[in-house]
Amino acid sequence: MNTVKTVRELRAAVARARSEGKRIGFVPTMGNLHSGHAALVAKAAQRVDFVVASIFVNPLQFGAGEDLDKYPRTLAADQEKLLEAGCHLLFAPSVEEMYPDGMAGQTRVSVPQLSEGLCGASRPGHFEGVATVVSKLFNMVQPDLAVFGQKDYQQLAVIRALVHDLNMPIQIIGEPTVRAADGLALSSRNGYLSEEQRAIAPALYRSLGQIAQAIRNGERDYPRLLAEQQQQLEAAGLRRDYLEIRQAQNLRPATAEDRDLVILVAAYLGATRLIDNLHLDLNTPA
Ligand code: PAF
């Protein structure tokens, strides 16, 4: 696996692979990789002949007071994991390479509606930062397909929308969330948790499961159900950001008649913000 740091080298390597008739897959990441990321790379490797991954901690998607500075940079360990997972080329640019003219005048890509609410409410500008960097990366790599984790459910919806709306010929694949044995969704941010907080964190996924089970059992009073579970989360020590039931396909608020649902949660454990979600399709048996 080769690592390149410039757009020029990236384009040259991808052009070489294309000239050999290879199909290109792409997995953008911010590094500090875990088995969830490895699953994304492995999925791409199943589908195409040449897998490109990127590692770039994108300042444009971090708000003031967020963890941009302390976000872990672990390039050597990440390279090993990528190689093992079947990656052929790593693009690891600097901030200057990605934003040579600075960020203030950078053209932005925004996906209205889908970017509002949920994580968009507590992280203003976040999805514009994501949509902008992903658009840039897509234009640099020009992949046939790209793989993203379903753990960032709203992000995946935003990316599907931008590819559709901007007519990018890229197939977007959502890969199921990888979880620890106790249910906690793998995330680079889990590394911020103390031992005590790590023991509390699985409550998030437990709550999602209990909500899904209650809905499967016929409960349709969503406000009451959510308030009950929110209370349990807070009793466990998780500070509220949001807990919502939405329509799975467009993230609009769910009504009692909707059958394809997603339950989404975000909560703070100390200063660490964790998110998770559970897709619940009532048209399919449990
Ligand atoms: O999900 C992430 O790691 C990031 O938001 C992404 C898609 C790599 C864009 O910076």
Side-chain angles (χ1 to χ4, degrees), residues 28-30 61 130 133-134 148 152 155:
T29 81
M30 298 205 301
Q61 70 187 73
V130 170
V133 81
V134 169
F148 292 83
D152 296 299
Q155 167 172 286

Side-chain angles (χ1 to χ4, degrees), residues 179 182-183 202-217 225-226 229 232-233 243 245 262-265 276-280 286:
R179 299 181 180 281
D182 59 11
L204 280 180
Y205 187 56
R206 265 201 309 278
S207 261
L208 295 176
Q210 285 169 11
I211 294 168
Q213 195 51 54
I215 298 173
R216 280 212 180 271
N217 293 344
L225 181 58
L226 293 172
Q229 287 296 329
Q232 282 199 28
L233 288 176
L243 176 60
I245 303 170
V262 59
I263 311 156
L264 304 113
V265 67
D276 201 352
N277 66 80
L278 187 59
H279 183 195
L280 171 63

Side-chain angles (χ1 to χ4, degrees), residues 27-31 37 54 56-58 61-62 71 126 129-131 133-134 137 148-149 152 155 159:
V27 180
T29 81
M30 298 205 301
H37 297 107
S54 64
F56 179 61
V57 182
N58 173 34
Q61 70 187 73
F62 286 77
Y71 203 87
H126 169 67
V130 170
V133 81
V134 169
L137 289 165
F148 292 83
D152 296 299
Q155 167 172 286
I159 288 161

Side-chain angles (χ1 to χ4, degrees), residues 7-277:
V7 179
R8 210 186 140 105
E9 293 166 297
L10 168 70
R11 286 196 197 280
V14 172
R16 231 173 359 254
R18 280 243 183 258
S19 73
E20 290 161 8
K22 293 180 175 161
R23 268 168 49 83
I24 313 294
F26 180 43
V27 180
T29 81
M30 298 205 301
N32 194 229
L33 304 179
H34 49 66
S35 346
H37 297 107
L40 307 181
V41 173
K43 170 53 71 72
Q46 276 169 18
R47 298 282 186 100
V48 297
D49 324 287
F50 192 79
V51 180
V52 182
S54 64
I55 294 181
F56 179 61
V57 182
N58 173 34
L60 210 58
Q61 70 187 73
F62 286 77
E66 289 190 349
D67 54 347
L68 173 62
D69 293 335
K70 74 167 181 174
Y71 203 87
R73 273 84 166 168
T74 52
L75 185 63
D78 291 346
Q79 282 169 317
E80 264 177 47
K81 285 183 189 140
L82 288 171
L83 178 65
E84 214 172 288
C87 179
H88 301 95
L89 178 70
L90 168 62
F91 178 50
S94 63
V95 173
E96 293 70 33
E97 183 69 15
M98 287 299 285
Y99 300 113
D101 304 316
M103 285 180 287
Q106 164 71 47
T107 300
R108 310 287 177 116
V109 177
S110 80
V111 180
Q113 297 179 344
L114 275 174
S115 297
E116 292 149 23
L118 303 169
C119 290
S122 48
R123 306 188 68 189
H126 169 67
F127 287 117
E128 189 179 86
V130 170
T132 300
V133 81
V134 169
S135 300
K136 284 169 72 76
L137 289 165
F138 280 177
N139 283 331
M140 292 167 184
V141 179
Q142 301 192 353
D144 297 286
L145 63 82
V147 189
F148 292 83
Q150 287 171 359
K151 181 185 154 262
D152 296 299
Y153 196 95
Q154 190 176 12
Q155 167 172 286
L156 179 57
V158 164
I159 288 161
R160 285 191 196 284
L162 92 81
V163 163
H164 174 262
D165 294 351
L166 298 180
N167 305 86
M168 295 182 179
I170 301 172
Q171 184 191 357
I172 302 298
I173 297 174
E175 182 66 9
T177 302
V178 177
R179 299 181 180 281
D182 59 11
L184 179 65
L186 297 194
S187 161
S188 302
R189 292 191 168 96
N190 293 349
Y192 299 152
L193 301 175
S194 68
E195 210 174 303
E196 192 188 336
Q197 290 170 333
R198 175 62 188 79
I200 295 172
L204 280 180
Y205 187 56
R206 265 201 309 278
S207 261
L208 295 176
Q210 285 169 11
I211 294 168
Q213 195 51 54
I215 298 173
R216 280 212 180 271
N217 293 344
E219 174 68 84
R220 290 294 180 274
D221 186 346
Y222 294 157
R224 194 174 59 100
L225 181 58
L226 293 172
E228 206 177 271
Q229 287 296 329
Q230 186 64 57
Q231 247 175 20
Q232 282 199 28
L233 288 176
E234 278 163 37
L238 285 141
R239 194 155 46 83
R240 172 195 198 102
D241 187 350
Y242 63 77
L243 176 60
E244 296 200 30
I245 303 170
R246 298 282 185 111
Q247 297 178 42
Q249 299 308 320
N250 52 29
L251 285 178
R252 294 198 192 111
T255 67
E257 284 71 47
D258 292 315
R259 300 192 58 77
D260 191 11
L261 306 171
V262 59
I263 311 156
L264 304 113
V265 67
Y268 292 90
L269 260 174
T272 305
R273 185 172 174 279
L274 298 177
I275 62 172
D276 201 352
N277 66 80

